[in-house]
């Protein structure tokens, strides 16, 4: 990667790769099958899909079509045979909660996002990805309560200090046991992303093909 890759070209190149994957897929299926190629980004209407729309509008004269919107958020839109679908606006929950609710074997991964979000420059992001850190280095960036349910977050006892409550969290206990262990950031990030991709893939299959017999195929009918 280079700094330039982080400034728009990476996502634009992804659009080209997805178009190529779509063409390869269409060459293998019959004309009677669904000719759309689906691109999923969980909570994409808040993050990824906005960047995709920006790239399309900034670099081409095209405008996304077949837009399905709810409360100002795009559940679905289409661009040259690519259908972008935000499953979060269908399940109306976090990816982790949706996987639990639908009985998905693969669970969402975890990564301290603030580590990369708080760096000063694109080059610093690349340098950090190529570095080796300890869990102790990540302490300022870890959300100790990220793995807890809303119900569990209501169980803090009256008079209990923040430090006492924090130290009860499973993530904090794991960190204390492993704080001196080192790990390559890039490999940790890849493992996190692969778990998320696999979890989303299994969830997508469940709420589309898996529910088609009930008239609830998310690919064909989002609501």
């Amino acid at each position: 990667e280079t700094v330039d890759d982080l400034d728009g070209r990476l996502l634009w190149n992804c659009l080209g790769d997805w178009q190529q994957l779509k063409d390869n897929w269409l060459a293998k299926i019959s004309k009677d099958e669904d000719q759309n190629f689906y691109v999923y980004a969980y909570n994409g209407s808040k993050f990824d899909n906005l960047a995709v729309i920006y790239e399309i509008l900034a670099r081409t004269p095209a405008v996304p079509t077949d837009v399905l919107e709810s409360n100002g958020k795009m559940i679905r839109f289409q661009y040259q045979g690519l259908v972008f679908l935000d499953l979060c606006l269908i399940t109306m929950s976090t990816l982790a909660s949706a996987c639990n609710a639908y009985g998905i074997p693969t669970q969402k991964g975890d990564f301290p996002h603030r580590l990369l979000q708080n760096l000063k420059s694109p080059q610093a992001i690349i340098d950090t990805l190529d570095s080796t850190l300890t869990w102790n280095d990540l302490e300022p960036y870890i959300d100790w309560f990220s793995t807890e349910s809303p119900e569990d977050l209501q169980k803090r006892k009256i008079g209990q200090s923040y430090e006492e409550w924090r130290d009860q969290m499973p993530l904090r206990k794991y960190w204390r046991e492993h704080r001196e262990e080192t790990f390559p950031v890039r490999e940790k990030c890849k493992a996190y992303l692969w778990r998320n991709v696999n979890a989303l893939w299994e969830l997508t299959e469940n709420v589309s093909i898996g529910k088609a017999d009930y008239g609830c195929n998310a690919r064909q009918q989002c609501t």
Side-chain angles (χ1 to χ4, degrees), residues 10-155:
L10 189 61
L11 188 53
W12 178 247
N13 290 341
C14 283
L15 275 167
D17 291 342
W18 295 333
Q19 289 281 0
Q20 186 61 56
L21 287 170
K22 180 202 70 174
D23 294 341
N24 294 343
W25 173 250
L26 291 179
K28 296 178 180 179
I29 65 175
S30 71
K31 299 296 183 182
D32 297 329
E33 295 185 66
D34 188 350
Q35 300 295 298
N36 292 316
F37 192 84
Y38 294 85
V39 182
Y40 297 91
Y42 208 83
N43 208 14
S45 58
K46 190 175 180 181
F47 299 104
D48 311 68
N49 289 350
L50 294 180
V52 168
I53 291 173
Y54 172 83
E55 290 298 316
I56 293 171
L57 296 179
R59 297 178 183 269
T60 77
V63 176
T65 60
D66 193 27
V67 175
L68 178 61
E69 184 179 327
S70 175
N71 296 323
K73 294 183 178 181
M74 286 189 180
I75 300 175
R76 167 189 172 122
F77 66 90
Q78 195 165 187
Y79 168 70
Q80 296 186 1
L82 299 175
V83 178
F84 294 84
L85 191 59
D86 183 359
L87 214 60
C88 179
L89 295 178
I90 298 174
T91 63
M92 299 303 290
S93 68
T94 65
L95 179 57
S97 296
C99 287
N100 287 330
Y102 284 89
I104 304 303
T106 301
Q107 294 298 299
K108 179 183 180 298
D110 191 41
F111 185 82
H113 299 87
R114 288 185 293 173
L115 169 65
L116 300 180
Q117 292 171 347
N118 289 317
L119 294 174
K120 295 180 179 180
S121 67
Q123 187 60 52
I125 294 175
I126 293 176
D127 293 342
T128 301
L129 285 172
D130 289 329
S131 68
T132 297
L133 300 176
T134 66
W135 285 105
N136 199 51
D137 295 327
L138 297 182
E139 182 179 13
Y141 309 103
I142 298 176
D143 179 0
W144 305 111
F145 306 94
S146 61
T147 59
E148 303 307 297
S149 68
E151 293 77 16
D152 287 336
L153 291 177
Q154 303 298 319
K155 295 179 180 179

Side-chain angles (χ1 to χ4, degrees), residues 156-196:
R156 182 177 180 181
K157 297 178 181 178
I158 296 176
Q160 187 179 38
S161 70
Y162 166 79
E163 289 75 15
E164 291 171 334
W165 189 38
R166 176 200 63 192
D167 290 345
Q168 292 179 357
M169 297 298 110
L171 187 56
R172 178 71 175 183
K173 293 177 181 178
Y174 178 90
W175 173 83
R176 293 179 70 175
E177 293 174 4
H178 301 273
R179 59 189 300 173
E180 300 303 327
E181 292 181 10
T182 61
F183 64 91
V185 176
R186 185 181 295 275
E187 294 307 311
K188 185 70 176 177
C189 189
K190 282 183 179 178
Y192 155 75
L193 292 173
W194 271 116
R195 283 192 65 178
N196 281 10

